[in-house]
Amino acid sequence: MRRRLVSLALVVADILVVSIVPFIALYLRFDGIVDAHYYSQLVSYLPAIVLIQLTTFYLFRLYHRLWRYASIHELVVIVGAVTVSSAVLVAYSNIINSILPGSIYVLSWLFTIVCIGGSRLGLRILHYLIRQTHSNPIQNVLIIGAGDAGAMIAREITQRYYETKKIVGFIDDSAYKSNQILFGARVLGPCSQIHRIVQEQSISEIIIAMPSVEGSIVRQIVQECKTTQCNVQIVPGIYELIDGKVSVHQLRNVDLEDLLRREPVQLNAEDIAGYIKGHRVLVTGAGGSIGSELCRQIARFSPEQILLLGKGENSIYEIHQELGRKYPDLNLSPIIADVRDEERINDIFATYRPEIVFHAAAHKHVPLMELQPLEAVKNNVFGTKNVAQAADRYETKIFIMISTDKAVNPTSVMGCTKRVAEMIIQSLNRESKTKYTTVRFGNVLGSRGSVIPLFKKQIAAGGPITITHPDIIRYFMTIPEASQLVLQAGALAQGGEVFVLDMGKPVKILDMACDLIELSGLVPYKDIKFEFTGLRPGEKMFEELLTAEEGTQATKYKKIFRAKLRSVDEKKLSKVLFQFQNQFNDSEEVKRLLQKLITVYKPYHKKDSQDSSSGKLAIAEEPTVQQETPAFYPAESMEASH
C-alpha cells in the first residue's frame, strides 16, 4: 500500500512538472513577452505532452523503482526517458505543423530532467533524514580499505543496513586517499593508526575490505585490530569471489585462509572459456572439496553440460542443488557411480560423450590408505585407468587428472598410487588422440581430511591440539585458487604434461595451529596445549612437487609450471598392472608391487613404527626449533624462470 501511494504521488508530481515546464520554457524563450497565439497552441497541445511523456516514463519503469536507493544508473534512466519522450514530442509537433519554436523543446528537455531528477533525489534525501532520527542503537563501523571492495561494502551498508550500522570512516595507507570523502565518510588515516582511530571514534565493528592483498598484510592488520576489542569481519579473498562482486552477506570472521592468502593472479578467462564454453564437461569426484569447486568455476564459463559424477549421493545432491539455484539455465546431470566400476563408467561415456574430463575422484587420506592399500590401488590406480581409457574409447578431447605432491618420491601407499596414476596418464597419451594432462599441487586449506577442521574441533573442546612433529611443514593454497589454476592449466594442455602449481612458501603446521588459537581469541601454550604424537605411517616431514631429476619450465601463466618428467617404462607398467589384479587379497604383495614400479618407495611395516615412534610428548613451552627447508621444491627453478 505504501509503495502504491509513493508511486501515485510521483505520477501526480510528474503531471505537474510536464504541464508547467513547457510554459516556463516558452516564457524564457521570449524573455517574458509571449504572443497569445503561442499560449493558445501550447494549451491545446498540453494533453498530448502529458500523455506522451507519462507513457514513456512508465515504459522506462520510473514508477517501479526504490528511489531511496537511487544511484547514477537511475539518473541515466531518467535522462533516457526524458530524451525519448522529447523526441516523440518533436515528431508529433512536425506532424501537426506546430508553430512553436524548436528551442522550446530543448529548454523543456533540460528543465524536465532537472525537475524529474530533483523529485527523485528529494525522496532519497527525505529517506536519509528519517533514518538519521532512528532511535535504534547503531554500531559504528570502520572500513579498512578505501578501494572498490570498500566502496561496495559502504554503499550496501549506507543503503540497506542504516538501521543497525553507521560508517564512521575508512582506513587506507594511500597518501592520495587521505582525508578524501567516500559515501559521506572520511579516510581517517593509515593502518598504523587503527587503535587510535577506534578509540576516538568509538568504533564497535571493523571490516577488512581488501580481497587482493597478501596474507602477510592481512596478518599485520589483524594483529593491530586485536588490540581494539572490536568485532572484526573480512571480505573473502579474490579467489573466493567467483563473480568479483562484494556483498555484506559475504563478510565473515577472519580465518586462517586470510592469514595465508597469496598474491592473486589474474586468470585469462578468455582462454578458459575457449576450451570449456559450449562443451560437455565431466567432473569425477564432483561432490568432494576440489571436485565441487571445479564445478562452481566451470559453471561460470557456459559449458553445454556439466556431468556431476560421484559415489556419495548426499554430496552430489548438494552440489547439484547449489549449481541449480545459481545457474538455472545450465544443463546439469548428477550421476551416482564408482570409478572402479569399469562397465558403469563405459556406459556413462557412451551415453553422454563428455568432451572434457576433470578427474578429481581419489582416496587422499595418507594414514587410512596406509592401512588399506588394496582400496587405494583399486580407487586411485584402477579407477583412474577406467576413466582414462573410457575417455580414449569415446574420443574425449581433453583429460585432466588432479594429482598431488605426495606422488613425488612417495613414502606412502597413497602417494605411490597417485604416481602410478600419473604414469598411466602419460602412457595413454602416447597412443590416444585425447590430450591427457596432470596437474600436481600440495595441500588445500579446508578440504576434507585437512588438519584445519580437526584443529578447530580440538580448540573448541579446549585442547590439546595434536601435531605429529613440531618441525613438520606443508605447502598450502585455498580450494578456489587451486581449482582456478587447474582450469587455467587446462588451457595449456597439449598432451603428456604434468603441470606443477606454485605453492608459495612452506608453512609450519605448528604456526598454523597457533594462528587458529589466536583467531579463536585464546593464547597458545596457555589456554590451549599441544601434544606431539610422532609421524604417522607414510607421512613425510616435508612434501616435494618435483624429484631431484625433474625441473620446471615456465608457462605463459604465472604460478603454473611444466615439469620435465622421465619417460614411462610402459612394458613394466603394463606387467605390474596385470599382476595387481591377481593380488587384491594380499596387502603386503600390493605394497611389493608398488615398490617394483616406484623404486624409491619403502613399504611401511608395523615394526618400523614401533622402532621410530617415541609416543606422545606434551609440551607447555613454545618450542624454538628451526624450520627445515625441503630438498627438491621447485621454488629456486621457479624464481629463475621469472
Side-chain angles (χ1 to χ4, degrees):
M1 184 66 182
R2 178 182 174 186
R3 183 175 174 180
R4 289 183 179 178
L5 289 174
V6 171
S7 297
L8 181 61
L10 287 174
V11 170
V12 172
D14 289 350
I15 291 174
L16 292 174
V17 168
V18 300
S19 300
I20 295 172
V21 160
F23 291 97
I24 296 175
L26 188 64
Y27 182 85
L28 293 176
R29 167 65 178 78
F30 291 103
D31 295 327
I33 305 173
V34 185
D35 289 342
H37 66 282
Y38 282 129
Y39 277 125
S40 176
Q41 183 168 58
L42 188 55
V43 169
S44 64
Y45 190 26
L46 197 57
I49 293 176
V50 173
L51 178 63
I52 289 172
Q53 292 207 296
L54 259 67
T55 300
T56 307
F57 294 170
Y58 179 83
L59 293 176
F60 274 75
R61 302 185 67 81
L62 294 192
Y63 306 114
H64 299 82
R65 298 174 184 272
L66 294 175
W67 290 103
R68 62 182 179 180
Y69 302 133
S71 63
I72 296 297
H73 174 74
E74 278 67 36
L75 176 60
V76 172
V77 172
I78 289 173
V79 172
V82 175
T83 302
V84 170
S85 63
S86 298
V88 174
L89 286 173
V90 170
Y92 176 75
S93 67
N94 289 331
I95 293 173
I96 64 173
N97 296 318
S98 170
I99 63 172
L100 293 173
S103 56
I104 296 296
Y105 300 102
V106 176
L107 290 171
S108 294
W109 170 80
L110 180 62
F111 294 154
T112 302
I113 289 175
V114 172
C115 293
I116 297 295
S119 65
R120 271 58 176 181
L121 178 62
L123 283 177
R124 181 165 180 174
I125 292 173
L126 179 63
H127 180 71
Y128 175 80
L129 293 175
I130 291 173
R131 77 188 190 197
Q132 289 297 101
T133 60
H134 208 284
S135 59
N136 286 349
I138 293 179
Q139 286 184 314
N140 287 337
V141 177
L142 180 68
I143 299 178
I144 301 179
D148 290 341
M152 290 182 190
I153 293 294
R155 179 184 293 111
E156 193 167 358
I157 290 176
T158 302
Q159 294 180 347
R160 300 180 185 275
Y161 297 93
Y162 58 87
E163 294 183 356
T164 56
K165 299 178 188 292
K166 177 184 178 183
I167 301 172
V168 173
F170 292 84
I171 292 288
D172 203 290
D173 285 336
S174 171
Y176 169 76
K177 296 177 182 177
S178 180
N179 287 315
Q180 297 296 309
I181 296 175
L182 187 64
F183 290 95
R186 191 163 55 90
V187 179
L188 300 173
C191 293
S192 59
Q193 298 180 17
I194 289 176
H195 186 80
R196 176 187 63 80
I197 292 170
V198 165
Q199 289 186 322
E200 291 179 355
Q201 303 293 334
S202 301
I203 304 295
S204 55
E205 181 176 349
I206 298 175
I207 297 174
I208 304 173
M210 306 171 73
S212 299
V213 302
E214 295 184 29
S216 58
I217 298 176
V218 175
R219 185 184 295 270
Q220 293 173 8
I221 293 172
V222 170
Q223 290 295 333
E224 186 72 21
C225 291
K226 281 181 182 177
T227 64
T228 66
Q229 304 301 314
C230 291
N231 177 37
V232 181
Q233 299 279 294
I234 191 168
V235 171
I238 200 70
Y239 284 109
E240 297 176 70
L241 299 171
I242 293 180
D243 56 4
K245 296 179 180 178
V246 179
S247 167
V248 169
H249 297 295
Q250 294 166 318
L251 293 178
R252 55 168 170 73
N253 293 330
V254 180
D255 210 338
L256 187 63
E257 287 89 340
D258 302 303
L259 303 186
L260 298 179
R261 187 188 295 172
R262 305 193 296 157
E263 178 188 1
V265 175
Q266 189 67 39
L267 298 178
N268 191 320
E270 187 175 325
D271 284 359
I272 297 175
Y275 79 96
I276 289 180
K277 186 176 182 179
H279 291 90
R280 297 180 299 279
V281 182
L282 167 66
V283 180
T284 70
S289 306
I290 292 293
S292 60
E293 185 63 27
L294 278 172
C295 293
R296 295 183 190 99
Q297 303 291 344
I298 291 167
R300 299 169 52 199
F301 297 100
S302 305
E304 178 186 326
Q305 183 181 26
I306 302 181
L307 308 171
L308 311 169
L309 189 151
K311 187 168 61 174
E313 60 173 324
N314 290 333
S315 57
I316 292 297
Y317 172 81
E318 288 171 3
I319 186 62
H320 179 243
Q321 291 295 307
E322 177 187 335
L323 294 179
R325 288 191 299 269
K326 291 182 180 178
Y327 304 94
D329 298 327
L330 183 60
N331 185 1
L332 299 169
S333 296
I335 301 172
I336 305 301
D338 191 333
V339 294
R340 297 178 297 182
D341 187 340
E342 183 178 6
E343 183 178 349
R344 171 74 168 133
I345 293 299
N346 281 321
D347 181 60
I348 291 167
F349 272 79
T351 302
Y352 295 98
R353 300 280 177 162
E355 298 168 276
I356 302 165
V357 173
F358 290 91
H359 180 50
H363 287 327
K364 305 178 183 74
H365 201 284
V366 172
L368 282 181
M369 292 306 100
E370 207 65 30
L371 298 173
Q372 280 122 159
L374 303 176
E375 292 301 312
V377 171
K378 287 179 184 178
N379 199 74
N380 294 357
V381 175
F382 285 93
T384 298
K385 182 171 177 286
N386 290 339
V387 179
Q389 287 181 334
D392 171 51
R393 188 174 296 114
Y394 294 98
E395 300 180 340
T396 294
K397 294 179 180 179
I398 301 175
F399 184 101
I400 301 169
M401 187 186 84
I402 309 301
S403 191
T404 171
D405 54 3
K406 294 171 180 62
V408 181
N409 292 329
T411 59
S412 66
V413 167
M414 195 282 278
C416 280
T417 57
K418 292 299 285 184
R419 177 61 192 130
V420 174
E422 289 182 357
M423 295 166 69
I424 292 171
I425 295 301
Q426 285 180 264
S427 177
L428 279 171
N429 185 75
R430 295 185 52 148
E431 304 295 334
S432 176
K433 292 181 180 179
T434 300
K435 297 176 182 178
Y436 289 93
T437 295
T438 299
V439 181
R440 188 191 286 170
F441 54 88
N443 300 281
V444 286
L445 288 171
S447 65
R448 295 177 185 175
S450 166
V451 296
I452 308 305
L454 173 62
F455 286 171
K456 288 180 178 179
K457 289 179 181 178
Q458 291 175 334
I459 292 171
I465 285 182
T466 56
I467 301 177
T468 55
H469 194 284
D471 293 339
I472 195 167
I473 58 176
R474 291 290 183 266
Y475 296 93
F476 285 95
M477 63 170 50
T478 65
I479 294 174
E481 180 183 9
S483 301
Q484 290 174 32
L485 290 176
V486 166
L487 291 186
Q488 190 73 83
L492 296 170
Q494 295 300 315
E497 310 95 340
V498 171
F499 291 110
V500 179
L501 304 187
D502 177 1
M503 296 296 294
K505 297 179 181 179
V507 179
K508 207 170 184 178
I509 299 298
L510 180 59
D511 291 342
M512 288 177 57
C514 290
D515 285 335
L516 279 174
I517 293 170
E518 291 177 350
L519 288 172
S520 301
L522 303 172
V523 180
Y525 306 102
K526 180 182 177 182
D527 298 321
I528 302 292
K529 306 295 183 182
F530 293 91
E531 283 185 359
F532 298 125
T533 60
L535 293 178
R536 298 175 297 179
E539 196 168 39
K540 294 181 180 181
M541 283 290 293
F542 55 83
E543 304 289 1
E544 309 139 280
L545 291 179
L546 297 171
T547 66
E549 294 80 13
E550 295 173 342
T552 60
Q553 292 177 334
T555 69
K556 65 178 182 178
Y557 300 125
K558 189 178 178 182
K559 291 191 179 181
I560 302 177
F561 297 83
R562 184 181 288 105
K564 302 173 184 176
L565 298 184
R566 293 165 294 182
S567 59
V568 176
D569 186 338
E570 296 185 16
K571 289 184 179 179
K572 184 178 180 181
L573 175 63
S574 180
K575 181 180 178 180
V576 173
L577 289 178
F578 177 78
Q579 291 174 327
F580 267 131
Q581 293 176 318
N582 298 319
Q583 301 297 335
F584 277 147
N585 294 318
D586 189 338
S587 295
E588 294 305 315
E589 182 61 18
V590 164
K591 291 182 181 180
R592 188 190 68 79
L593 289 174
L594 285 174
Q595 187 179 28
K596 190 173 181 180
L597 273 178
I598 317 290
T599 55
V600 297
Y601 169 58
K602 294 181 179 179
Y604 160 80
H605 300 286
K606 290 184 179 180
K607 182 177 182 300
D608 298 333
S609 175
Q610 292 168 355
D611 292 340
S612 62
S613 177
S614 58
K616 292 185 178 180
L617 172 64
I619 64 168
E621 298 181 356
E622 184 173 358
T624 57
V625 187
Q626 293 294 321
Q627 181 171 312
E628 184 177 350
T629 303
F632 299 125
Y633 183 69
E636 293 80 5
S637 59
M638 287 179 176
E639 291 172 358
S641 299
H642 292 317

